[in-house]
Short mmCIF file of all heavy atoms in Angstrom, two decimals:
data_model
loop_
_atom_site.label_atom_id
_atom_site.label_comp_id
_atom_site.label_asym_id
_atom_site.label_seq_id
_atom_site.Cartn_x
_atom_site.Cartn_y
_atom_site.Cartn_z
N VAL A 347 -18.40 -30.70 -5.85
CA VAL A 347 -18.96 -29.50 -6.49
C VAL A 347 -18.74 -28.33 -5.54
O VAL A 347 -19.27 -28.30 -4.44
CB VAL A 347 -20.48 -29.68 -6.78
CG1 VAL A 347 -21.03 -28.44 -7.46
CG2 VAL A 347 -20.72 -30.92 -7.64
N ARG A 348 -17.92 -27.36 -5.99
CA ARG A 348 -17.58 -26.21 -5.15
C ARG A 348 -17.57 -24.94 -5.99
O ARG A 348 -17.19 -24.96 -7.15
CB ARG A 348 -16.20 -26.41 -4.52
CG ARG A 348 -16.12 -27.60 -3.60
CD ARG A 348 -14.70 -27.80 -3.06
NE ARG A 348 -14.64 -28.96 -2.20
CZ ARG A 348 -14.89 -28.93 -0.89
NH1 ARG A 348 -15.21 -27.81 -0.30
NH2 ARG A 348 -14.82 -30.04 -0.18
N TYR A 349 -18.01 -23.86 -5.36
CA TYR A 349 -18.02 -22.54 -6.01
C TYR A 349 -18.69 -22.62 -7.39
O TYR A 349 -18.13 -22.17 -8.38
CB TYR A 349 -16.60 -21.98 -6.13
CG TYR A 349 -15.95 -21.74 -4.80
CD1 TYR A 349 -15.12 -22.71 -4.24
CD2 TYR A 349 -16.17 -20.56 -4.10
CE1 TYR A 349 -14.53 -22.51 -2.99
CE2 TYR A 349 -15.59 -20.36 -2.86
CZ TYR A 349 -14.77 -21.34 -2.31
OH TYR A 349 -14.19 -21.13 -1.09
N THR A 350 -19.88 -23.20 -7.42
CA THR A 350 -20.60 -23.40 -8.68
C THR A 350 -21.97 -22.73 -8.58
O THR A 350 -22.65 -22.84 -7.56
CB THR A 350 -20.76 -24.90 -8.98
OG1 THR A 350 -19.46 -25.48 -9.09
CG2 THR A 350 -21.51 -25.13 -10.26
N ARG A 351 -22.35 -22.03 -9.66
CA ARG A 351 -23.67 -21.39 -9.74
C ARG A 351 -24.47 -22.09 -10.82
O ARG A 351 -23.96 -22.37 -11.91
CB ARG A 351 -23.53 -19.90 -10.05
CG ARG A 351 -22.85 -19.16 -8.93
CD ARG A 351 -22.83 -17.67 -9.10
NE ARG A 351 -22.82 -17.21 -10.47
CZ ARG A 351 -22.28 -16.06 -10.87
NH1 ARG A 351 -21.71 -15.27 -10.01
NH2 ARG A 351 -22.33 -15.71 -12.13
N PHE A 352 -25.75 -22.34 -10.50
CA PHE A 352 -26.64 -23.03 -11.42
C PHE A 352 -27.82 -22.13 -11.78
O PHE A 352 -28.39 -21.48 -10.91
CB PHE A 352 -27.21 -24.30 -10.78
CG PHE A 352 -26.17 -25.27 -10.30
CD1 PHE A 352 -25.93 -25.44 -8.95
CD2 PHE A 352 -25.45 -26.04 -11.19
CE1 PHE A 352 -24.99 -26.34 -8.49
CE2 PHE A 352 -24.51 -26.95 -10.76
CZ PHE A 352 -24.28 -27.10 -9.40
N SER A 353 -28.21 -22.14 -13.05
CA SER A 353 -29.47 -21.51 -13.45
C SER A 353 -30.06 -22.32 -14.60
O SER A 353 -29.35 -23.06 -15.28
CB SER A 353 -29.28 -20.04 -13.85
OG SER A 353 -28.60 -19.92 -15.07
N GLY A 354 -31.36 -22.19 -14.79
CA GLY A 354 -32.03 -22.99 -15.81
C GLY A 354 -32.08 -24.45 -15.40
O GLY A 354 -31.96 -24.80 -14.23
N LYS A 355 -32.27 -25.33 -16.37
CA LYS A 355 -32.36 -26.77 -16.13
C LYS A 355 -30.96 -27.38 -16.12
O LYS A 355 -30.21 -27.25 -17.09
CB LYS A 355 -33.20 -27.44 -17.23
CG LYS A 355 -34.61 -26.91 -17.34
CD LYS A 355 -35.46 -27.46 -16.24
CE LYS A 355 -36.90 -27.00 -16.46
NZ LYS A 355 -37.77 -27.34 -15.37
N ILE A 356 -30.64 -28.05 -15.03
CA ILE A 356 -29.30 -28.63 -14.84
C ILE A 356 -29.44 -30.12 -14.54
O ILE A 356 -30.29 -30.52 -13.73
CB ILE A 356 -28.57 -27.95 -13.66
CG1 ILE A 356 -28.44 -26.45 -13.87
CG2 ILE A 356 -27.22 -28.61 -13.40
CD1 ILE A 356 -27.55 -26.04 -15.02
N ARG A 357 -28.59 -30.92 -15.18
CA ARG A 357 -28.48 -32.34 -14.86
C ARG A 357 -27.01 -32.67 -14.66
O ARG A 357 -26.18 -32.29 -15.47
CB ARG A 357 -29.07 -33.20 -15.98
CG ARG A 357 -30.57 -33.14 -16.03
CD ARG A 357 -31.10 -34.11 -17.04
NE ARG A 357 -32.52 -34.29 -16.84
CZ ARG A 357 -33.27 -35.06 -17.58
NH1 ARG A 357 -32.74 -35.72 -18.58
NH2 ARG A 357 -34.55 -35.17 -17.33
N ILE A 358 -26.74 -33.39 -13.58
CA ILE A 358 -25.35 -33.69 -13.22
C ILE A 358 -25.21 -35.19 -12.96
O ILE A 358 -26.01 -35.78 -12.22
CB ILE A 358 -24.93 -32.92 -11.95
CG1 ILE A 358 -25.15 -31.42 -12.13
CG2 ILE A 358 -23.48 -33.22 -11.60
CD1 ILE A 358 -25.00 -30.63 -10.85
N GLY A 359 -24.17 -35.78 -13.54
CA GLY A 359 -23.87 -37.19 -13.32
C GLY A 359 -23.07 -37.41 -12.06
O GLY A 359 -23.06 -36.58 -11.15
N VAL A 360 -22.35 -38.52 -12.00
CA VAL A 360 -21.51 -38.85 -10.84
C VAL A 360 -20.06 -38.50 -11.15
O VAL A 360 -19.64 -38.47 -12.30
CB VAL A 360 -21.64 -40.34 -10.46
CG1 VAL A 360 -23.06 -40.66 -10.03
CG2 VAL A 360 -21.21 -41.25 -11.59
N PHE A 361 -19.31 -38.23 -10.09
CA PHE A 361 -17.90 -37.85 -10.22
C PHE A 361 -17.06 -38.84 -9.43
O PHE A 361 -16.82 -38.67 -8.25
CB PHE A 361 -17.68 -36.42 -9.72
CG PHE A 361 -18.51 -35.39 -10.45
CD1 PHE A 361 -19.35 -34.54 -9.75
CD2 PHE A 361 -18.44 -35.27 -11.82
CE1 PHE A 361 -20.11 -33.59 -10.41
CE2 PHE A 361 -19.19 -34.32 -12.50
CZ PHE A 361 -20.03 -33.48 -11.79
N GLU A 362 -16.60 -39.90 -10.11
CA GLU A 362 -15.82 -40.94 -9.46
C GLU A 362 -14.39 -41.01 -9.96
O GLU A 362 -13.52 -41.54 -9.30
CB GLU A 362 -16.50 -42.30 -9.68
CG GLU A 362 -17.89 -42.36 -9.06
CD GLU A 362 -18.66 -43.61 -9.41
OE1 GLU A 362 -18.41 -44.21 -10.48
OE2 GLU A 362 -19.54 -44.00 -8.61
N LYS A 363 -14.13 -40.49 -11.14
CA LYS A 363 -12.84 -40.64 -11.83
C LYS A 363 -11.85 -39.54 -11.42
O LYS A 363 -12.23 -38.42 -11.13
CB LYS A 363 -13.10 -40.55 -13.33
CG LYS A 363 -11.88 -40.62 -14.19
CD LYS A 363 -12.23 -40.48 -15.67
CE LYS A 363 -11.00 -40.44 -16.54
NZ LYS A 363 -11.34 -40.28 -17.95
N GLU A 364 -10.58 -39.91 -11.42
CA GLU A 364 -9.49 -38.94 -11.30
C GLU A 364 -8.80 -38.85 -12.65
O GLU A 364 -8.65 -39.84 -13.36
CB GLU A 364 -8.46 -39.38 -10.25
CG GLU A 364 -8.81 -39.02 -8.86
CD GLU A 364 -7.62 -39.18 -7.91
OE1 GLU A 364 -6.67 -39.93 -8.22
OE2 GLU A 364 -7.66 -38.55 -6.85
N PHE A 365 -8.40 -37.65 -12.99
CA PHE A 365 -7.64 -37.42 -14.22
C PHE A 365 -6.16 -37.40 -13.87
O PHE A 365 -5.76 -36.73 -12.92
CB PHE A 365 -8.04 -36.09 -14.87
CG PHE A 365 -9.40 -36.11 -15.50
CD1 PHE A 365 -10.53 -35.83 -14.75
CD2 PHE A 365 -9.56 -36.41 -16.85
CE1 PHE A 365 -11.79 -35.84 -15.32
CE2 PHE A 365 -10.81 -36.42 -17.42
CZ PHE A 365 -11.93 -36.14 -16.66
N ASP A 366 -5.34 -38.13 -14.63
CA ASP A 366 -3.88 -38.11 -14.47
C ASP A 366 -3.32 -37.08 -15.43
O ASP A 366 -3.48 -37.19 -16.64
CB ASP A 366 -3.29 -39.49 -14.79
CG ASP A 366 -3.73 -40.55 -13.81
OD1 ASP A 366 -3.74 -40.25 -12.59
OD2 ASP A 366 -4.05 -41.67 -14.24
N LEU A 367 -2.65 -36.07 -14.88
CA LEU A 367 -2.10 -34.99 -15.68
C LEU A 367 -0.59 -35.12 -15.77
O LEU A 367 0.05 -35.86 -15.02
CB LEU A 367 -2.49 -33.65 -15.07
CG LEU A 367 -4.00 -33.43 -14.85
CD1 LEU A 367 -4.25 -32.09 -14.18
CD2 LEU A 367 -4.76 -33.54 -16.15
N ALA A 368 -0.02 -34.37 -16.68
CA ALA A 368 1.43 -34.37 -16.86
C ALA A 368 2.13 -34.04 -15.54
O ALA A 368 1.63 -33.25 -14.74
CB ALA A 368 1.82 -33.36 -17.93
N GLY A 369 3.28 -34.65 -15.34
CA GLY A 369 4.07 -34.39 -14.14
C GLY A 369 3.59 -35.15 -12.92
O GLY A 369 4.05 -34.90 -11.81
N GLY A 370 2.63 -36.05 -13.10
CA GLY A 370 2.14 -36.85 -11.98
C GLY A 370 1.00 -36.22 -11.20
O GLY A 370 0.54 -36.77 -10.20
N MET A 371 0.53 -35.06 -11.65
CA MET A 371 -0.59 -34.37 -10.99
C MET A 371 -1.89 -35.14 -11.22
O MET A 371 -2.11 -35.68 -12.31
CB MET A 371 -0.71 -32.96 -11.57
CG MET A 371 -1.86 -32.17 -11.07
SD MET A 371 -1.47 -31.53 -9.46
CE MET A 371 -2.86 -30.47 -9.23
N LYS A 372 -2.73 -35.20 -10.20
CA LYS A 372 -4.05 -35.82 -10.31
C LYS A 372 -5.11 -34.79 -9.94
O LYS A 372 -4.90 -33.99 -9.03
CB LYS A 372 -4.18 -37.02 -9.38
CG LYS A 372 -3.30 -38.19 -9.77
CD LYS A 372 -3.58 -39.37 -8.86
CE LYS A 372 -2.71 -40.55 -9.18
NZ LYS A 372 -3.06 -41.25 -10.38
N LYS A 373 -6.24 -34.82 -10.66
CA LYS A 373 -7.38 -33.97 -10.33
C LYS A 373 -8.62 -34.83 -10.36
O LYS A 373 -8.83 -35.59 -11.31
CB LYS A 373 -7.52 -32.81 -11.33
CG LYS A 373 -6.47 -31.75 -11.18
CD LYS A 373 -6.81 -30.53 -12.03
CE LYS A 373 -5.79 -29.43 -11.81
NZ LYS A 373 -6.15 -28.21 -12.55
N HIS A 374 -9.44 -34.68 -9.33
CA HIS A 374 -10.68 -35.45 -9.25
C HIS A 374 -11.76 -34.78 -10.10
O HIS A 374 -11.85 -33.55 -10.16
CB HIS A 374 -11.16 -35.54 -7.80
CG HIS A 374 -12.13 -36.66 -7.60
ND1 HIS A 374 -13.45 -36.59 -7.97
CD2 HIS A 374 -11.95 -37.90 -7.09
CE1 HIS A 374 -14.05 -37.73 -7.69
NE2 HIS A 374 -13.17 -38.54 -7.15
N SER A 375 -12.57 -35.58 -10.77
CA SER A 375 -13.67 -35.04 -11.56
C SER A 375 -14.61 -34.26 -10.64
O SER A 375 -14.70 -34.51 -9.45
CB SER A 375 -14.41 -36.17 -12.27
OG SER A 375 -14.85 -37.15 -11.36
N GLY A 376 -15.32 -33.29 -11.23
CA GLY A 376 -16.25 -32.48 -10.46
C GLY A 376 -16.42 -31.12 -11.09
O GLY A 376 -15.96 -30.86 -12.22
N LEU A 377 -17.11 -30.24 -10.37
CA LEU A 377 -17.37 -28.87 -10.83
C LEU A 377 -16.75 -27.90 -9.82
O LEU A 377 -17.09 -27.95 -8.64
CB LEU A 377 -18.88 -28.63 -10.91
CG LEU A 377 -19.69 -29.59 -11.79
CD1 LEU A 377 -21.18 -29.33 -11.61
CD2 LEU A 377 -19.28 -29.44 -13.24
N TYR A 378 -15.88 -27.03 -10.30
CA TYR A 378 -15.17 -26.11 -9.43
C TYR A 378 -15.05 -24.75 -10.11
O TYR A 378 -14.50 -24.65 -11.21
CB TYR A 378 -13.76 -26.64 -9.12
CG TYR A 378 -13.75 -28.09 -8.67
CD1 TYR A 378 -13.45 -29.10 -9.57
CD2 TYR A 378 -14.06 -28.44 -7.36
CE1 TYR A 378 -13.45 -30.44 -9.18
CE2 TYR A 378 -14.06 -29.77 -6.96
CZ TYR A 378 -13.75 -30.77 -7.87
OH TYR A 378 -13.75 -32.08 -7.47
N HIS A 379 -15.57 -23.71 -9.47
CA HIS A 379 -15.48 -22.34 -10.00
C HIS A 379 -16.07 -22.23 -11.41
O HIS A 379 -15.37 -21.90 -12.37
CB HIS A 379 -14.03 -21.84 -9.98
CG HIS A 379 -13.45 -21.77 -8.60
ND1 HIS A 379 -13.64 -20.70 -7.78
CD2 HIS A 379 -12.71 -22.65 -7.91
CE1 HIS A 379 -13.03 -20.91 -6.62
NE2 HIS A 379 -12.46 -22.10 -6.68
N VAL A 380 -17.38 -22.51 -11.52
CA VAL A 380 -18.04 -22.48 -12.81
C VAL A 380 -19.49 -22.04 -12.63
O VAL A 380 -20.09 -22.29 -11.57
CB VAL A 380 -17.96 -23.87 -13.51
CG1 VAL A 380 -18.62 -24.95 -12.69
CG2 VAL A 380 -18.55 -23.83 -14.90
N THR A 381 -20.05 -21.40 -13.64
CA THR A 381 -21.47 -21.08 -13.70
C THR A 381 -22.07 -21.86 -14.87
O THR A 381 -21.54 -21.82 -15.98
CB THR A 381 -21.70 -19.57 -13.92
OG1 THR A 381 -21.16 -18.86 -12.80
CG2 THR A 381 -23.18 -19.24 -14.06
N LEU A 382 -23.17 -22.58 -14.60
CA LEU A 382 -23.83 -23.40 -15.62
C LEU A 382 -25.26 -22.93 -15.81
O LEU A 382 -25.97 -22.68 -14.83
CB LEU A 382 -23.85 -24.86 -15.19
CG LEU A 382 -22.50 -25.53 -14.92
CD1 LEU A 382 -22.72 -26.94 -14.39
CD2 LEU A 382 -21.64 -25.54 -16.17
N HIS A 383 -25.70 -22.84 -17.07
CA HIS A 383 -27.08 -22.48 -17.40
C HIS A 383 -27.60 -23.46 -18.45
O HIS A 383 -27.01 -23.57 -19.53
CB HIS A 383 -27.15 -21.05 -17.92
CG HIS A 383 -28.52 -20.67 -18.39
ND1 HIS A 383 -29.54 -20.40 -17.50
CD2 HIS A 383 -29.03 -20.53 -19.63
CE1 HIS A 383 -30.63 -20.11 -18.19
NE2 HIS A 383 -30.35 -20.20 -19.49
N ASN A 384 -28.67 -24.17 -18.12
CA ASN A 384 -29.26 -25.17 -19.03
C ASN A 384 -28.20 -26.14 -19.55
O ASN A 384 -27.97 -26.26 -20.75
CB ASN A 384 -29.97 -24.50 -20.21
CG ASN A 384 -31.20 -23.74 -19.80
OD1 ASN A 384 -31.84 -24.08 -18.81
ND2 ASN A 384 -31.53 -22.71 -20.53
N VAL A 385 -27.56 -26.85 -18.64
CA VAL A 385 -26.45 -27.74 -19.00
C VAL A 385 -26.67 -29.12 -18.41
O VAL A 385 -27.12 -29.27 -17.27
CB VAL A 385 -25.10 -27.16 -18.49
CG1 VAL A 385 -23.96 -28.14 -18.70
CG2 VAL A 385 -24.79 -25.84 -19.17
N THR A 386 -26.33 -30.13 -19.19
CA THR A 386 -26.20 -31.50 -18.70
C THR A 386 -24.73 -31.83 -18.63
O THR A 386 -24.01 -31.67 -19.62
CB THR A 386 -26.92 -32.51 -19.62
OG1 THR A 386 -28.32 -32.24 -19.59
CG2 THR A 386 -26.66 -33.94 -19.17
N VAL A 387 -24.27 -32.25 -17.46
CA VAL A 387 -22.89 -32.68 -17.26
C VAL A 387 -22.94 -34.18 -16.98
O VAL A 387 -23.45 -34.61 -15.94
CB VAL A 387 -22.23 -31.94 -16.08
CG1 VAL A 387 -20.80 -32.45 -15.87
CG2 VAL A 387 -22.24 -30.44 -16.29
N CYS A 388 -22.42 -34.98 -17.90
CA CYS A 388 -22.45 -36.43 -17.74
C CYS A 388 -21.39 -36.89 -16.74
O CYS A 388 -20.68 -36.08 -16.15
CB CYS A 388 -22.26 -37.10 -19.10
SG CYS A 388 -23.66 -36.81 -20.20
N ASP A 389 -21.27 -38.19 -16.55
CA ASP A 389 -20.39 -38.77 -15.54
C ASP A 389 -18.92 -38.43 -15.77
O ASP A 389 -18.45 -38.33 -16.91
CB ASP A 389 -20.53 -40.29 -15.54
CG ASP A 389 -21.91 -40.76 -15.10
OD1 ASP A 389 -22.65 -39.97 -14.48
OD2 ASP A 389 -22.24 -41.92 -15.40
N ASP A 390 -18.22 -38.28 -14.65
CA ASP A 390 -16.76 -38.20 -14.60
C ASP A 390 -16.17 -37.08 -15.44
O ASP A 390 -15.11 -37.24 -16.06
CB ASP A 390 -16.15 -39.55 -14.99
CG ASP A 390 -16.52 -40.63 -13.98
OD1 ASP A 390 -16.56 -40.32 -12.78
OD2 ASP A 390 -16.79 -41.77 -14.40
N CYS A 391 -16.81 -35.93 -15.43
CA CYS A 391 -16.27 -34.73 -16.09
C CYS A 391 -15.52 -33.90 -15.06
O CYS A 391 -15.84 -33.92 -13.87
CB CYS A 391 -17.41 -33.87 -16.66
SG CYS A 391 -18.28 -34.64 -18.01
N LEU A 392 -14.55 -33.15 -15.51
CA LEU A 392 -13.90 -32.14 -14.68
C LEU A 392 -14.09 -30.81 -15.38
O LEU A 392 -13.64 -30.63 -16.52
CB LEU A 392 -12.41 -32.43 -14.51
CG LEU A 392 -11.62 -31.34 -13.77
CD1 LEU A 392 -12.16 -31.11 -12.37
CD2 LEU A 392 -10.15 -31.67 -13.74
#
């Protein structure tokens, strides 16, 4: 979780999964450069 702002009620799951993208690129699940307000983020989201 990086560069993330939280307001209101927030619930966050675990981030264990990597996403395989076109061209062989991989991205790890997590929160990056986002603002969340009254949000539930379940497991393994990017």
Side-chain angles (χ1 to χ4, degrees):
V347 181
R348 297 177 181 272
Y349 298 95
T350 300
R351 295 187 331 208
F352 303 107
S353 71
K355 301 284 185 187
I356 302 294
R357 287 186 166 179
I358 304 170
V360 297
F361 302 124
E362 298 172 333
K363 177 182 176 181
E364 276 193 339
F365 288 87
D366 294 318
L367 305 177
M371 176 79 172
K372 292 184 182 286
K373 287 190 177 184
H374 199 282
S375 56
L377 304 172
Y378 311 98
H379 298 276
V380 60
T381 298
L382 301 175
H383 175 74
N384 292 332
V385 173
T386 295
V387 178
C388 293
D389 295 341
D390 296 322
C391 293
L392 174 60

